Amino acid sequence: MRLRTGAAGSSVVPVTSATGRAAPPKATEVEVRGVEPIPDDERTAGPLDLFRLIFGGANTIATVVLGTFPIIFGLSFRDALLATLAGLLLGAAILAPMSLFGPRNGTNNAVSSSAHLGVHGRVVGSFLSLLTAVAFFSISVWTSGDVLVGGAHRAIGLPDNDIAVGVAYGVFALLVLVVCIYGFRFMLLVNKIAVIAATVLFLAGIFAFGGTFDAGYTGTVTAGDPLYWPSFVGAALIVMSNPVSFGAFLGDWARYIPRDTPSWQPMLAAFGAQLATLVPFLFGLVTATVVATTAPEFIDGGDYVGGLLAVSPGWYFVPVCLIALIGGMSTGTTALYGTGLDFSSVFPRFSRVQATVFIGTLAIVFIFVGRFAFNVVQSISTFAVLIVTCTAPWMVVMMLGWFTRRGWYDSDALQVFNRRQRGGRYWFSHGWNWRGLGAWLVAAAASICFVNSPGQFVGPLGDLAAGIDLSIPVGLGLAAVLYPLALRLFPEPADVFGPQGPRLVPAGPAANTPIVSED
């Protein structure tokens, strides 16, 4: 490991090339940057790198499992495909604007949320991303480990028991932790390889399942059935939750993109990366159709992974194992990296590396205890759904805040919390902006009330729409109404806006709150 450090007490000094310009750091150099703004001369990533990280983080077995839900819900292949496309397009459109904050502010999205939730209120974004990352890291390790052991059992006779599964979990988790300790560049290298390799392996499924796949599969729920629309909407929302789950993390990677990059480029990268996840989604959809046709007892028993291995030809066991290994690494690194970064932003006494090791170790302990001692695999999946449900209205507040501020931010004032200071443009009321916080809190609470995941969690209002899960639409809609209403009724101080002033909302008197050190 080689740290690029400067003089005592100084920041990291970039290594320069013979031309005098900053040279991109090597993948094997440990990243020491935390949530402080990335200097311009160190922003050497581009929109294509953002595409690779987002696509790589979703091009996995975990996404494949999400792709099976439309079939599990009983839809025909045609309707399942339509639900998948609808959920993916809507989710990608919601996610894309969240890629703008990183290049503009040089920090992660949780820190950028200080501008709309307040210096202290930004911890909401930090904990949402922290919980989301731990949940998806756990799901990634569990899913990939189970598939790897099951595939190896069928391919080479490896014992399929708790010891083998535990070893697989441990190897996955430790490899992911090492990559995350090295940081952004090493993670980018892993994903460059993973994107191509996993995609090729998924496409090999065309030859593995082409002869048994039936595009005319009719399912068990058809139009006119009382369960049709609840199943269709529920399937679309599950698909949509995948891109929405990335909302809190885009700034982790986009902060290395130069500030002057045209806004449409990172947005297109985020949108395009989600469209590319049609590869794992369709793999899940097609293989679930094959399982439902040839081995329906696995679908009925909720064991898609077992069904996949049962219907796969012998030669495809090795590709399935490789998909599990590569995909698990990719998803795990994108999740855990953000966890360490956010923890270091909430507790600045920890460096990014220290925070990553600390949180990573706790997450690994949770993975083993949760799987073998308490068997909370199903519960953590439900928890992940609830976290995504709460994240959606937070994203709306962020995007509407960007719109009303015309994309103007004071990067120095965003760092007040991290430097243990007080005041600044985003101090509002003792560090809390109740306009954004109130809109998010009401929308998130109402959203949870409308969750309808049979067998997992049904909110108190979950049955109001004949079984249709309205959680995310309710959260998005309420936040989109309440936040602008609060901005109009209770204008924000004029000094939070840039030279051009606010867009479509009024401004109140300037607060002019100085930044001071905490005693």
Side-chain angles (χ1 to χ4, degrees):
M1 300 182 183
R2 185 166 72 93
L3 298 177
R4 305 189 306 162
T5 56
S10 68
S11 182
V12 176
V13 177
V15 177
T16 55
S17 63
T19 62
R21 299 179 62 183
K26 296 180 179 179
T28 52
E29 294 177 5
V30 175
E31 178 192 13
V32 295
R33 288 292 180 192
V35 294
E36 69 275 13
I38 303 298
D40 291 341
D41 59 0
E42 293 183 32
R43 297 194 186 192
T44 55
L48 182 58
D49 296 319
L50 181 62
F51 174 92
R52 291 188 182 113
L53 285 166
I54 300 172
F55 181 34
N59 196 28
T60 67
I61 287 291
T63 304
V64 168
V65 172
L66 290 179
T68 67
F69 275 89
I71 298 299
I72 292 174
F73 285 176
L75 296 175
S76 67
F77 176 77
R78 184 200 65 180
D79 291 342
L81 179 60
L82 291 176
T84 299
L85 291 173
L88 192 57
L89 288 172
L90 182 58
I94 295 172
L95 175 69
M98 296 301 294
S99 64
L100 299 175
F101 295 93
R104 185 60 51 90
N105 298 320
T107 188
N108 69 344
N109 284 355
V111 172
S112 292
S113 72
S114 299
H116 308 297
L117 302 181
V119 168
H120 293 152
R122 46 102 358 143
V123 298
V124 169
S126 291
F127 280 106
L128 283 175
S129 57
L130 181 68
L131 295 174
T132 303
V134 171
F136 279 89
F137 175 51
S138 302
I139 292 171
S140 173
V141 171
W142 286 331
T143 304
S144 297
D146 290 344
V147 172
L148 180 62
V149 172
H153 173 70
R154 296 289 300 275
I156 60 176
L158 179 76
D160 188 355
N161 53 36
D162 286 349
I163 294 177
V165 171
V167 171
Y169 289 173
V171 170
F172 267 123
L174 289 176
L175 286 175
V176 168
L177 181 58
V178 169
V179 173
C180 292
I181 288 173
Y182 274 97
F184 175 78
R185 289 290 165 186
F186 200 6
M187 185 174 67
L188 181 58
L189 175 63
V190 169
N191 277 275
K192 284 180 179 179
I193 299 171
V195 163
I196 297 174
T199 300
V200 170
L201 293 169
F202 276 129
L203 293 178
I206 296 174
F207 303 99
F209 304 104
T212 54
F213 168 61
D214 179 14
Y217 174 75
T218 57
T220 58
V221 178
T222 57
D225 191 302
L227 292 178
Y228 177 77
W229 284 112
S231 299
F232 187 93
V233 174
L237 290 179
I238 286 177
V239 173
M240 188 175 77
S241 70
N242 195 57
V244 170
S245 70
F246 282 84
F249 301 128
L250 290 196
D252 300 347
W253 319 315
R255 63 199 179 110
Y256 279 96
I257 296 176
R259 181 184 177 89
D260 58 359
T261 302
S263 296
W264 66 267
Q265 292 185 6
M267 289 181 65
L268 181 61
F271 188 86
Q274 289 304 320
L275 291 187
T277 61
L278 273 173
V279 172
F281 271 117
L282 287 177
F283 182 89
L285 191 59
V286 168
T287 53
T289 302
V290 173
V291 173
T293 302
T294 61
E297 65 275 10
F298 288 99
I299 293 294
D300 296 337
D303 184 16
Y304 163 73
V305 171
L308 173 63
L309 296 174
V311 301
S312 296
W315 66 266
Y316 199 63
F317 290 145
V318 172
V320 166
C321 291
L322 291 175
I323 288 173
L325 178 63
I326 296 170
M329 283 285 295
S330 187
T331 297
T333 53
T334 52
L336 189 59
Y337 176 79
T339 306
L341 193 63
D342 269 311
F343 189 80
S344 68
S345 73
V346 177
F347 300 97
R349 69 182 62 185
F350 288 94
S351 68
R352 187 201 65 82
V353 173
Q354 292 171 329
T356 299
V357 172
F358 178 72
I359 291 296
T361 302
L362 290 181
I364 291 172
V365 172
F366 173 79
I367 285 170
F368 279 89
V369 173
R371 170 63 170 79
F372 296 110
F374 298 103
N375 195 22
V376 297
V377 176
Q378 187 64 39
S379 299
I380 200 66
S381 300
T382 303
F383 180 69
V385 170
L386 295 178
I387 291 298
V388 170
T389 299
C390 292
T391 301
W394 177 83
M395 292 168 61
V396 172
V397 170
M398 289 284 287
M399 289 184 283
L400 290 178
W402 172 284
F403 178 80
T404 59
R405 305 280 180 87
R406 301 179 186 273
W408 186 90
Y409 294 89
D410 184 340
S411 297
D412 183 68
L414 292 174
Q415 298 290 328
V416 165
F417 180 92
N418 309 322
R419 297 193 299 247
R420 288 297 184 260
Q421 296 174 324
R422 303 175 58 190
R425 297 178 190 271
Y426 308 127
W427 186 246
F428 298 104
S429 299
H430 305 286
W432 306 89
N433 184 3
W434 57 267
R435 303 165 187 83
L437 279 170
W440 168 77
L441 185 60
V442 172
S447 187
I448 290 176
C449 289
F450 279 90
V451 171
N452 189 315
S453 296
Q456 298 185 48
F457 178 85
V458 178
L461 303 177
D463 292 322
L464 284 185
I468 299 176
D469 188 327
L470 296 179
S471 56
I472 293 182
V474 166
L476 294 172
L478 271 179
V481 171
L482 293 178
Y483 185 44
L485 182 62
L487 293 179
R488 294 200 65 84
L489 295 179
F490 307 97
E492 292 179 322
D495 45 351
V496 304
F497 302 100
Q500 296 182 339
R503 178 187 282 132
L504 300 183
V505 296
N512 296 320
T513 306
I515 296 178
V516 297
S517 298
E518 291 185 345
D519 296 329

